[in-house]
């Protein structure tokens, strides 16, 4: 009769033999095989052997995997829940339906990550997904998270600021020239919404023990910023109101590479959301149950073009759809601001002027999700989310 010690010894021998067999495979072949696996599996594979860990964590492998991920974007859904005194932020992702057959009326979503805090206050999303990373906050703790690896990076606090009288606006961005992720922070004056300071934080694998926020000078001042922003090709665009506040709405740009600000005139309409439309900045303006899409064709010349005016049907208008962005194919993505038994995302084809509805399986039909549905509400959708296996 085998003893537990004998079984443990045999198991260790099998694992050792398995690891030696893996290490005998050529490294380039292992790398090619690993690239065919999903991100979640790769995160787990780092525990198999030192060789696999070194391959998966190498800069070359991460960049190659990122290039593959960019070619197959996903949609990231974020819900928040308050249950039994715990505030939770739930992340689900689903394939971009432009990557599946047009006949498909549903896609399967999967649960990526849950963040939880026992203290009071809701989670706030400060930026859409930027190459797999998001910026969010709970109370006055700001953080950057990666739903794929489930890593949460707490941003350094700045004790100079009084959170009771001052506000912080955050925009996450990526600088392709340095391959760095950065956070732009705007702090308002005490008791006012006017920005008093701009600063930048660069994410590094070896973070400093002291606060590494760096102040940056901007040509723009005395303005009220907006959380409505999007990062495109290393530049974040966000709306701002300048005196006399009511009519003077402009776009502020911040280049994460040069760390310089610039202003862009809007076409005169208030945008409900900014988005990346085929590599260009786009803004959607709502007029009752109709909407216009404006596209910034030339940044230097600040020239805009407008698509035709589109009208939503009364059925869709009653759902209270919210513009969430665009797909790589150029479709406009709308999602309900609240949900019932089923959760659908709507895709509007500008050229054909047609709307299609796609049901996201795996969200509301999740058992835990359904039993606590009354504690949930829709927060946001990122249309160009990608899986990123980079770890800080």
């Amino acid at each position: 009769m085998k003893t537990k010690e004998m079984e443990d010894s045999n198991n260790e021998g099998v694992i050792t033999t398995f690891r030696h067999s893996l290490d005998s495979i050529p490294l380039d072949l292992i790398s090619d095989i690993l690239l065919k696996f999903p991100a979640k599996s790769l995160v787990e594979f780092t525990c198999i052997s030192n060789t696999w860990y070194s391959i998966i964590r190498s800069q070359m492998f991460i960049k190659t995997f990122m290039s593959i991920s960019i070619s197959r974007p996903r949609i990231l859904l974020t819900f928040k829940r308050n249950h039994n005194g715990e505030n939770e932020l739930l992340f689900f992702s689903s394939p971009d339906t432009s990557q599946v057959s047009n006949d498909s009326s549903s896609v399967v979503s999967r649960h990526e990550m849950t963040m939880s805090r026992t203290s009071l206050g809701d989670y706030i999303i400060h930026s859409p997904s930027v190459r797999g990373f998001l910026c969010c906050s709970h109370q006055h703790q700001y953080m950057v998270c990666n739903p794929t690896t489930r890593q949460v990076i707490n941003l350094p606090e700045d004790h100079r600021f009084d959170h009771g009288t001052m506000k912080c606006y955050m925009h996450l961005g990526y600088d392709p020239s340095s391959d760095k992720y950065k956070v732009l922070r705007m702090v308002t004056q005490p008791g006012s919404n006017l920005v008093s300071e701009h600063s930048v934080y660069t994410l590094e694998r070896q973070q400093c023990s002291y606060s590494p926020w760096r102040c940056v000078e901007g040509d723009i001042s005395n303005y009220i910023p907006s959380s409505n922003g999007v990062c495109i090709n290393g530049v974040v665009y966000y709306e701002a109101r300048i005196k006399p506040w009511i009519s003077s709405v402009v776009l502020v740009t911040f280049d994460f590479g040069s760390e310089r600000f610039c202003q862009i005139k809007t076409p005169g309409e208030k945008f409900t959301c900014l988005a990346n439309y085929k590599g260009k900045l786009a803004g959607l303006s709502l007029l009752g149950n109709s909407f216009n899409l404006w596209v910034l064709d030339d940044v230097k010349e600040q020239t805009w073009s407008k698509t035709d005016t589109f009208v939503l049907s009364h059925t869709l208008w009653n759902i209270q759809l919210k513009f969430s962005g665009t797909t790589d194919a150029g479709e406009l993505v709308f999602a309900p601001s609240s949900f019932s038994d089923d959760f659908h995302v709507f895709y509007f084809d500008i050229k054909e002027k047609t709307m299609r509805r796609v049901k996201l399986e795996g969200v509301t039909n999740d058992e835990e999700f359904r039993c606590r549905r009354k504690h949930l509400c829709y927060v946001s959708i990122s249309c160009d989310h990608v899986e990123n296996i980079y770890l800080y």
Side-chain angles (χ1 to χ4, degrees):
M1 185 174 180
K2 291 184 177 180
T3 64
K4 184 179 184 302
E5 289 77 8
M6 293 175 62
E7 291 180 354
D8 291 342
S9 178
N10 290 336
N11 290 338
E12 290 178 3
V14 171
I15 294 174
T16 300
T17 303
F18 176 65
R19 286 176 174 171
H20 284 317
S21 299
L22 291 177
D23 292 340
S24 65
I25 303 175
L27 296 182
D28 56 345
L29 180 57
I30 295 178
S31 180
D32 291 340
I33 294 174
L34 290 176
L35 286 171
K36 299 182 183 299
F37 283 89
K40 291 290 186 184
S41 298
L42 293 176
V43 174
E44 297 174 356
F45 288 169
T46 57
C47 300
I48 290 181
S49 72
N50 291 333
T51 301
W52 282 33
Y53 178 90
S54 299
I55 293 174
I56 296 172
R57 291 289 173 240
S58 67
Q59 292 294 323
M60 181 63 69
F61 187 90
I62 292 174
K63 289 183 178 180
T64 304
F65 185 84
M66 174 56 69
S67 64
I68 297 174
S69 295
I70 292 176
S71 66
R72 53 188 187 197
R74 300 180 65 83
I75 292 178
L76 185 71
L77 300 95
T78 309
F79 299 90
K80 63 180 178 181
R81 170 172 67 196
N82 187 308
H83 183 73
N84 292 336
E86 289 192 3
N87 294 282
E88 296 179 326
L89 199 61
L90 295 90
F91 297 94
F92 288 81
S93 75
S94 65
D96 178 356
T97 59
S98 64
Q99 308 294 320
V100 299
S101 63
N102 293 328
D103 297 332
S104 176
S105 59
S106 66
V107 293
V108 178
S109 299
R110 66 169 183 245
H111 176 236
E112 299 285 1
M113 175 185 181
T114 296
M115 298 172 60
S116 177
R117 294 290 177 97
T118 56
S119 56
L120 298 176
D122 291 332
Y123 279 96
I124 298 175
I125 302 295
H126 293 275
S127 70
S129 176
V130 178
R131 292 168 58 92
F133 289 93
L134 293 93
C135 184
C136 58
S137 67
H138 184 270
Q139 292 290 66
H140 305 305
Q141 176 62 65
Y142 295 87
M143 61 202 84
V144 173
C145 66
N146 182 344
T148 300
T149 62
R150 299 183 178 179
Q151 182 184 26
V152 178
I153 306 164
N154 290 324
L155 301 181
E157 296 187 31
D158 196 327
H159 300 290
R160 295 178 300 136
F161 302 134
D162 179 9
H163 294 289
T165 60
M166 306 168 75
K167 295 181 181 179
C168 282
Y169 295 84
M170 301 277 189
H171 289 293
L172 176 66
Y174 171 74
D175 175 21
S177 62
S178 63
D179 192 25
K180 299 287 186 182
Y181 294 86
K182 299 180 180 180
V183 180
L184 171 65
R185 180 182 66 180
M186 294 156 286
V187 181
T188 64
Q189 300 173 8
S192 170
N193 288 325
L194 295 175
V195 172
S196 61
E197 180 182 298
H198 301 90
S199 54
V200 172
Y201 174 78
T202 302
L203 274 68
E204 303 281 1
R205 278 194 168 177
Q206 303 243 338
Q207 302 295 345
C208 301
S209 58
Y210 58 90
S211 178
W213 290 100
R214 295 179 292 102
C215 290
V216 291
E217 298 296 329
D219 296 333
I220 180 174
S221 60
N222 291 327
Y223 75 97
I224 300 176
S226 168
S227 57
N228 180 19
V230 61
C231 184
I232 304 175
N233 298 326
V235 178
V236 65
Y237 301 81
Y238 60 93
E239 284 188 309
R241 286 188 296 160
I242 302 178
K243 290 182 179 180
W245 312 127
I246 298 177
S247 59
S248 300
V249 178
V250 300
L251 284 174
V252 178
T253 71
F254 179 75
D255 190 315
F256 283 100
S258 63
E259 298 188 354
R260 293 181 179 178
F261 290 90
C262 185
Q263 291 186 46
I264 295 179
K265 294 181 180 179
T266 63
E269 295 186 13
K270 171 68 176 177
F271 295 141
T272 59
C273 182
L274 300 176
N276 183 346
Y277 180 73
K278 297 183 178 181
K280 295 181 179 182
L281 176 69
L284 190 90
S285 61
L286 287 176
L287 303 169
N289 65 334
S290 63
F291 63 89
N292 296 322
L293 183 72
W294 291 86
V295 179
L296 182 60
D297 293 318
D298 192 309
V299 177
K300 292 183 178 181
E301 298 297 329
Q302 301 190 16
T303 55
W304 296 80
S305 62
K306 185 180 73 169
T307 60
D308 294 335
T309 299
F310 306 106
V311 180
L312 293 175
S313 65
H314 291 292
T315 302
L316 295 176
W317 180 251
N318 291 333
I319 300 177
Q320 295 183 337
L321 296 180
K322 179 180 178 181
F323 178 58
S324 301
T326 67
T327 66
D328 282 355
E331 292 178 304
L332 308 186
V333 182
F334 294 86
S337 55
S338 60
F339 56 89
S340 55
D341 290 335
D342 296 324
F343 191 89
H344 293 86
V345 176
F346 298 81
Y347 296 83
F348 185 83
D349 189 313
I350 295 179
K351 293 182 179 180
E352 301 296 331
K353 296 184 179 180
T354 57
M355 181 85 78
R356 61 189 179 93
R357 181 175 67 176
V358 177
K359 179 181 178 181
L360 299 188
E361 303 280 2
V363 179
T364 56
N365 58 336
D366 179 83
E367 183 177 354
E368 181 182 5
F369 196 101
R370 290 175 68 90
C371 71
R372 298 183 179 181
R373 186 180 59 209
K374 64 181 180 179
H375 301 288
L376 291 165
C377 66
Y378 163 75
V379 178
S380 64
I381 285 184
S382 293
C383 297
D384 53 356
H385 177 69
V386 297
E387 294 179 317
N388 193 332
I389 60 174
Y390 189 86
L391 276 174
Y392 283 97

